[in-house]
Amino acid sequence: MRSPKDFFAPLAVGAPTPIREVPARPSRVIHFFDPSNEKMAAKVPDMVGTVDVLLGNLEDAVKADRKVAAREGLVAIAKATDFGEHTQLWTRVNALDSPWVLDDLVTLVTEIGDKLDVIMVPKVQGPEDIHYVDRLLAQLEAKAGLTRPILVHAILETARGVANVEAIAGASPRMQGMSLGPADLAADRRMKTTRVGGGHPGYLVRQDPPAGVEDAVHADRATYQQDLWHYTISRMVDACAMHGILPYYGPFGDIKDVVACEDQFRNAFLLGCVGTWSLHPVQVAIAKRVFSPSAEDVAHARRVVEAMGDGTGAVMLDGKMEDDASLKQCLVIVELAERLAATDPELAELYAV
Ligand code: 1VU
Ligand code: MG
């Protein structure tokens, strides 16, 4: 067992000091691109400033014979691009049991470590996976002479990972956050959905038959589709909140169904997630809209903060009781709005900051 006193000591001589708090930078939209795809890569420079995070993906969705091209493409893009103040550069490396991951980590940290903010690690099974990456990154940071630690983001996409979610979230001060990986998770759990995220028409509850109706089978009864991901997202949100790191939804594969995509993103936002992935340019605006609180919610939250004065006791506002707890809920909205407005002039105007 590691002593808590050692937790914030570098894991290699010459590596940067670990951080104590996850930097509060907007990450509503983590935009995925394949650095080996010339058309996509060409769009990256123009996306700087329009998304919070640009993520060069090296893992799933990159063909085996393009893995090296994707890695080299990311190095070239990172060296050639100024990501400015408000767009971070992340990568998703290959899985820890793959033949590519060691070269991914060695090449990326030593070549572009000064530009990389976060490394997303797929298929994390338990804290031991984070410990491995943690030590290796410290050694590579020392070798590369980096002065700022690269953070780690885990994808929750195995049954064992979900069972170990709290231990993963607290495995290292490098942990920045966690995303739901609904496709790999569904496969690992042997769920029977073939979709990438989103609901399923078969996962539903049915209204009771009307009172007095004996033939329940033929009665007209409404059905309501349920959220397949509610349990996992909620567990992930709790684990992240407990360890001071950030939870995210992940991919929504039905690119054309922008309505269901927005619904899935909003469910995650309401449950506590701070952002999501975009797989296609059409999902960028949806993610930004959903993960920025509405002007109405911000205005209401401010009214509650004002009405609550010193923050104790209870008041009535529009016929509803507000107290210390609802004040704290409103402060979550107000603080998020202020943080986003600080980097987004459109939101600053919308929220009248
Ligand atoms: O207009 P052009 O032809 O110059 O460009 C196309 C296309 O190249 C471009 N584009 C993108 N640009 C930047 N980033 C992107 N992610 C991106 N996606 C597409 O936009 C123009 C229009 O594209 P399109 O509508 O014709 O779409 P395509 O059929 O070309 O591509 C659709 C897919 C979904 C294949 C493509 O968007 C893609 O590969 N996205 C990334 C997928 C990904 O990263 N998957 C891994 C994460 S999800 C996961 O691991 C769990 C399942
Ligand atoms: Mg995957």
Side-chain angles (χ1 to χ4, degrees), residues 31-34 37 39-41 43-44 47 57 59-61 92 157 181-184 196 251 253 255-256 277-281:
H31 183 73
F32 274 58
F33 68 94
D34 172 354
N37 178 318
K39 275 190 181 174
M40 273 194 217
K43 293 201 165 42
V44 167
M47 295 190 85
N57 176 38
E59 199 227 6
D60 289 357
R92 178 171 78 171
E157 53 184 351
D184 269 298
V196 176
I255 307 289
K256 296 257 179 293
W277 304 1
S278 69
L279 305 183
H280 185 280

Side-chain angles (χ1 to χ4, degrees), residues 85-106:
E85 242 184 283
H86 303 314
T87 298
Q88 303 177 51
L89 177 66
W90 294 17
T91 185
R92 178 171 78 171
V93 293
N94 284 290
L96 296 179
D97 61 357
S98 77
W100 305 291
V101 66
L102 187 60
D103 287 338
D104 290 345
L105 290 168
V106 171

Side-chain angles (χ1 to χ4, degrees), residues 197-259:
H200 192 289
Y203 193 68
L204 51 80
V205 291
R206 189 178 303 271
Q207 194 181 34
D208 279 359
V213 169
E214 282 184 15
D215 183 4
V217 171
H218 296 103
D220 194 14
R221 297 150 74 185
T223 59
Y224 305 91
Q225 202 171 312
Q226 305 294 296
D227 184 355
L228 282 173
W229 306 109
H230 179 268
Y231 157 77
T232 315
I233 293 178
S234 301
R235 272 204 73 177
M236 178 179 74
V237 167
D238 283 346
C240 289
M242 174 179 166
H243 287 286
I245 69 169
L246 305 174
Y248 298 78
Y249 179 70
F252 190 86
D254 192 343
I255 307 289
K256 296 257 179 293
D257 193 349
V258 290
V259 174

Side-chain angles (χ1 to χ4, degrees), residues 3-79:
S3 158
K5 288 204 289 292
D6 295 336
F7 206 58
F8 293 104
L11 286 175
V13 175
T17 304
I19 57 160
R20 283 171 184 260
E21 260 182 59
V22 175
R25 299 181 69 185
S27 47
R28 297 160 294 177
V29 47
I30 303 168
H31 183 73
F32 274 58
F33 68 94
D34 172 354
S36 77
N37 178 318
E38 279 171 23
K39 275 190 181 174
M40 273 194 217
K43 293 201 165 42
V44 167
D46 287 342
M47 295 190 85
V48 171
T50 70
V51 294
D52 299 324
V53 176
L54 278 162
L55 181 144
N57 176 38
L58 308 185
E59 199 227 6
D60 289 357
V62 175
K63 285 181 83 64
D65 62 3
R66 302 293 294 160
K67 294 289 185 187
V68 175
R71 188 192 301 139
E72 286 172 356
L74 180 56
V75 169
I77 290 167
K79 285 187 173 168

Side-chain angles (χ1 to χ4, degrees), residues 304 307-309 312-317 320-323:
V304 174
M308 279 296 293
T312 60
V315 297
M316 285 289 277
L317 202 62
K320 297 189 181 90
M321 189 275 310
E322 307 288 350
D323 71 357

